[in-house]
Amino acid sequence: MRIIHTENYEQLSRQAANIISAQIISKPNCVLGLATGSTPIGTYKELISRFENKDIDFSEVTTVNLDEYCGLTPDNDQSYRYFMNTNLFNHVNVDMAKTNVPSGIADDPQAECERYDNLIESLGGIDLQLLGIGHNGHIGFNEPDDKFTKETHIVKLGDSTIEANSRFFDSYDDVPKSAITMGIKAIMNAKKVLLVASGKDKQEILKKSLFGPITPNVPASILQLHPDLTVVECE
Ligand code: F6R
């Protein structure tokens, strides 16, 4: 495990963008696993500016996102598809047909979970997976549980996650109560994992995840077993 401590959010964003840029440069047709949330926004801004400076090229890149809220259509401005389009995809030369976010409105959610796992497998897995971390240790929407769930699955969101994410909605009641998330298997099978964590409020869960017991009660703790994990953090 490599931990890069940075002085502030701007530096964190540059470091994370360096690692993602290196991946794109060394393998132009790579598969990037992407995350939403506040933490990667600066990283995405950095990637956009590197694209504008012609330092990186997304034309052959394929992306697979971690998760999506159930019940939100892609054009809903709170959906993760909308987030990815507005924070990254619309600003770089990625082929939209090669960007993948699980659907939160599939008629058959279980079939959608299976489709997503098959898709990741057919792409040959993920080269670099970007992750944020929830205050309860969730990665993607793999919430604390008494077991790790390997496959893409539908998850009932925990109160602390709904509470944390309510900052993006008008009220707590507006936050969807369930989501579809990539499972632990696809995340752990990624060749490289890059975890970004920003703020004093993330330090405790970060320590617990990286140095505490490996337990499904702290889903991110499984990352201790990943052979190529880089953590970029700032307080
Ligand atoms: C988002 C995701 C979540 C977030 C986590 C941290 O796709 O999968 O696990 O990474 O909730 O979110 P922020 O960065 O907003 O603190």
Side-chain angles (χ1 to χ4, degrees), residues 34-41 65-68 80 84 130-136 138-142 161 164-165 167-168 181 195-198 201-202:
L34 297 177
T36 61
S38 327
T39 319
I41 291 178
N65 260 79
L66 283 166
D67 41 19
E68 179 60 283
Y80 285 173
M84 288 311 301
L130 174 64
L131 295 175
I133 182 169
H135 291 107
N136 60 4
H138 72 216
I139 47 176
F141 274 135
N142 291 277
T161 302
N165 289 6
R167 71 191 192 277
F168 300 113
T181 182
L195 175 70
V196 287
S198 161
D201 56 320
K202 290 284 175 77

Side-chain angles (χ1 to χ4, degrees), residues 12 16 20 33-37 39-40 43-44 64-67 126 128-134 137-142 181-184 186-188 190 192-198 202 206 210 219-224 226 228-232:
L12 173 150
I20 298 170
L34 297 177
T36 61
T39 319
T43 305
Y44 294 150
V64 283
N65 260 79
L66 283 166
D67 41 19
I126 297 163
L128 172 64
Q129 176 65 55
L130 174 64
L131 295 175
I133 182 169
H138 72 216
I139 47 176
F141 274 135
N142 291 277
T181 182
M182 201 188 276
I184 292 298
I187 295 173
M188 287 300 284
K192 295 188 173 81
V193 173
L194 170 60
L195 175 70
V196 287
S198 161
K202 290 284 175 77
L206 199 56
L210 301 180
S221 63
I222 192 79
L223 297 174
Q224 292 179 41
H226 195 280
D228 192 342
L229 169 67
T230 302
V231 180
V232 186

Side-chain angles (χ1 to χ4, degrees), residues 62-166:
T62 298
T63 67
V64 283
N65 260 79
L66 283 166
D67 41 19
E68 179 60 283
Y69 286 119
C70 288
L72 298 192
T73 54
D75 60 351
N76 184 308
D77 62 7
Q78 298 297 346
S79 76
Y80 285 173
R81 160 54 77 178
Y82 186 93
F83 174 102
M84 288 311 301
N85 288 354
T86 50
N87 284 290
L88 181 65
F89 300 152
N90 288 346
H91 308 284
V92 296
N93 66 337
V94 72
D95 177 354
M96 275 293 184
K98 289 191 190 150
T99 67
N100 299 282
V101 180
S103 170
I105 52 160
D107 288 338
D108 182 345
Q110 191 46 42
E112 173 60 8
C113 293
E114 283 160 29
R115 183 196 70 82
Y116 209 65
D117 281 334
N118 291 337
L119 168 79
I120 295 169
E121 207 181 312
S122 73
L123 293 168
I126 297 163
D127 289 298
L128 172 64
Q129 176 65 55
L130 174 64
L131 295 175
I133 182 169
H135 291 107
N136 60 4
H138 72 216
I139 47 176
F141 274 135
N142 291 277
E143 294 281 74
D145 199 352
D146 51 14
K147 59 173 186 344
F148 290 110
T149 304
K150 293 189 291 252
E151 277 79 28
T152 297
H153 57 287
I154 305 292
V155 65
K156 194 175 161 303
L157 300 180
D159 280 343
S160 95
T161 302
I162 296 174
E163 188 64 53
N165 289 6
S166 65

